[in-house]
Amino acid sequence: MSDTPTPRRHRRRPALLLTAAAATAALVGTLLSGPGAHPAEAAPATFVHPGVTVSKGQLDFARTQVLAGVQPWKGAYDQMMGSRYASLTRTPAPRATVECGSYSNPNYGCTDEREDAIAAYTDALAWYVTRDERYARKAIELMDAWSAVIKDHTNSNAPLQTGWAGSSWPKAAEIIKYTYTGSWANSGRFATMLRTVYLPEIINGSNSNGNWELSMMEAAVGISVFLDDKTSYDKAMAKFRTRTAAYVYLSTDGSVPKTVPSQNLDTTAKIVNYWQGQSTFVTGLTQETCRDFTHTGYGVSAISHIAETSRIQGQDLYGTDVGERLRQALGFQSKYQLGAAVPSWLCGGSLSLGLGPVTEVGYNALHNRLGIAMTNTEALTRQNRPAGSNNLFVAWETLTHGDNPA
């Protein structure tokens, strides 16, 4: 890559008015921002429920818009209800051992587990909008089927698989446990499943590509909320902060990206290799941009989901470097996903596109709530509405987060 690199310009968002308390908190956060000392990641004194990625206020807003027939929410709801995930005749397919190799080869229960978890979440959303108890009972049937059977995840993709399925299960469980007026007799068994089968597989993180650890921490954070587990929540959030800083580059990071200490990326050559051979670093570039946009989308999506859960739990990470990295990553990837010419210094002049339905949560939080201009992200978000599911761990985010003020 002999071309002259584009100057690293750190585009600052418009200044926002801060209360004295917020300014003080920001200062304290800056002073304590060394490794393992992110005050904004601490678990709340009492967890908010439902509080994994989507809040009761957001659910209420979405429900009101759907019932009134307002777009894009009605179209997003119709899309969800027309999917296979909303079928009331779905038969759960649990396994005692889910075995997933690289790229799900072999695939012994991998697709079944992920899609049953998405279906449980889909049914929980359908219940909330319609108040039709058949959907709540179907969600419970799916969760009960798996909690009665599964004991382990094995093979090379076990941590990622656990992260993906483990991201959807607590979203479903939170809605059912805290909004369904009927009974869920086996909710304790489901909690035990999350605590003993899922959490141990993901809580210690990963040294693979960054989307792995981000997805794993998304699951760990969501599971911790459902379990009211402050210790695991804090551990997952700390890993998340470190990984996010190492996943999305900002010019303020210096000449090379930040790293995760356990990966021993202690030379520029090692960092370049880990960043898929990319040696020119510009704001918004991610560790997997030059791999492909699909895996980048997994990582960016997980960042947005954890930031959203943290906000619901009372600690708003959007005002920290997490929000800035998310904004820049969304904008950078959206620009090229929309068709901008790829410069020769970027990934050898060629990108593998396919970002996926991953922009709604971050766009809503940063643009709609904080008023930050995000021209490319806005264009891509509107172009992709209604955002569906990636059939792994992302589902129906135009419905739950599209222009949602709650």
Side-chain angles (χ1 to χ4, degrees):
M1 299 187 186
S2 58
D3 290 47
T4 303
T6 298
R8 294 190 300 271
R9 295 191 183 94
H10 182 46
R11 294 186 291 135
R12 299 185 183 279
R13 59 174 175 258
L16 301 175
L17 294 177
L18 293 177
T19 64
T24 300
L27 176 60
V28 171
T30 299
L31 294 174
L32 298 179
S33 61
H38 299 296
E41 76 210 2
T46 303
F47 284 103
V48 174
H49 302 290
V52 177
T53 309
V54 61
S55 68
K56 185 177 185 301
Q58 289 170 321
L59 290 168
D60 287 340
F61 174 81
R63 179 174 191 258
T64 297
Q65 300 304 98
V66 171
L67 295 181
V70 181
Q71 299 297 356
W73 303 276
K74 180 59 166 63
Y77 170 78
D78 290 343
Q79 174 197 43
M80 179 183 81
M81 297 305 288
S83 77
R84 64 183 182 273
Y85 297 114
S87 171
L88 288 170
T89 60
R90 183 183 188 87
T91 301
R95 284 175 177 258
T97 300
V98 174
E99 181 180 356
C100 306
S102 181
Y103 292 92
S104 292
N105 182 23
N107 181 341
Y108 299 131
C110 316
T111 302
D112 290 337
E113 180 190 26
R114 293 193 306 264
E115 297 199 353
D116 277 351
I118 292 174
Y121 176 53
T122 301
D123 289 326
L125 290 173
W127 142 254
Y128 200 89
V129 172
T130 64
R131 294 301 195 269
D132 183 337
E133 291 199 24
R134 293 178 302 164
Y135 289 104
R137 289 195 293 268
K138 177 55 73 169
I140 289 170
E141 177 191 343
L142 291 161
M143 292 188 285
D144 283 355
W146 280 89
S147 70
V149 172
I150 189 168
K151 299 298 181 186
D152 197 14
H153 296 87
T154 63
N155 214 317
S156 59
N157 260 30
L160 183 61
Q161 170 72 20
T162 308
W164 282 341
S167 293
S168 297
W169 286 131
K171 289 193 290 189
E174 282 279 298
I175 294 172
I176 295 300
K177 183 174 180 179
Y178 293 100
T179 73
Y180 178 49
T181 51
S183 64
W184 181 13
N186 292 313
S187 63
R189 187 179 74 194
F190 184 81
T192 297
M193 176 192 79
L194 294 181
R195 182 181 297 108
T196 61
V197 178
Y198 287 79
L199 199 55
E201 184 70 41
I202 55 179
I203 192 63
N204 292 317
S206 166
N207 287 325
S208 185
N209 281 299
N211 81 86
W212 277 51
E213 187 163 80
L214 289 166
S215 290
M216 291 162 68
M217 291 311 105
E218 177 186 345
V221 166
I223 288 169
S224 296
V225 171
F226 184 71
L227 298 178
D228 291 307
D229 182 344
K230 296 180 182 180
T231 300
S232 294
Y233 184 93
D234 286 346
K235 182 174 182 178
M237 276 292 183
K239 284 190 174 294
F240 164 69
R241 292 295 297 273
T242 299
R243 175 60 68 177
T244 299
Y247 194 70
V248 182
Y249 177 79
L250 298 178
S251 62
T252 48
D253 293 338
S255 60
V256 294
K258 292 179 178 292
T259 62
V260 174
S262 60
Q263 293 191 260
N264 299 312
L265 300 174
D266 51 7
T267 68
T268 298
K270 289 181 182 178
I271 293 171
V272 169
N273 182 64
Y274 185 59
W275 281 62
Q276 323 297 327
Q278 176 70 8
S279 58
T280 300
F281 301 105
V282 297
T283 291
L285 183 79
T286 80
Q287 181 255 314
E288 295 185 273
T289 297
C290 293
R291 180 187 185 189
D292 59 64
F293 273 28
T294 300
H295 286 89
T296 297
Y298 301 163
V300 171
S301 179
I303 292 171
S304 71
H305 293 165
I306 296 172
E308 192 70 0
T309 295
S310 180
R311 181 183 74 88
I312 294 166
Q313 297 305 326
Q315 299 288 350
D316 198 334
L317 294 179
Y318 290 114
T320 71
D321 78 297
V322 171
E324 182 66 358
R325 292 178 196 278
L326 177 60
R327 175 175 83 96
Q328 297 289 0
L330 284 169
F332 187 88
Q333 267 62 223
S334 293
K335 172 184 176 180
Y336 294 106
Q337 185 67 41
L338 288 166
V342 183
S344 59
W345 57 261
L346 177 61
C347 309
S350 178
L351 293 170
S352 177
L353 303 178
L355 193 60
V358 302
T359 63
E360 287 280 16
V361 176
Y363 171 73
N364 185 58
L366 294 164
H367 176 74
N368 292 329
R369 203 177 75 253
L370 297 182
I372 301 168
M374 299 176 72
T375 306
N376 289 321
T377 306
E378 178 174 11
L380 184 62
T381 300
R382 297 193 181 284
Q383 176 180 296
N384 287 345
R385 284 181 174 172
S389 175
N390 70 355
N391 304 313
L392 299 173
F393 70 103
V394 178
W396 325 125
E397 292 181 353
T398 299
L399 174 63
T400 56
H401 291 82
D403 301 335
N404 193 320

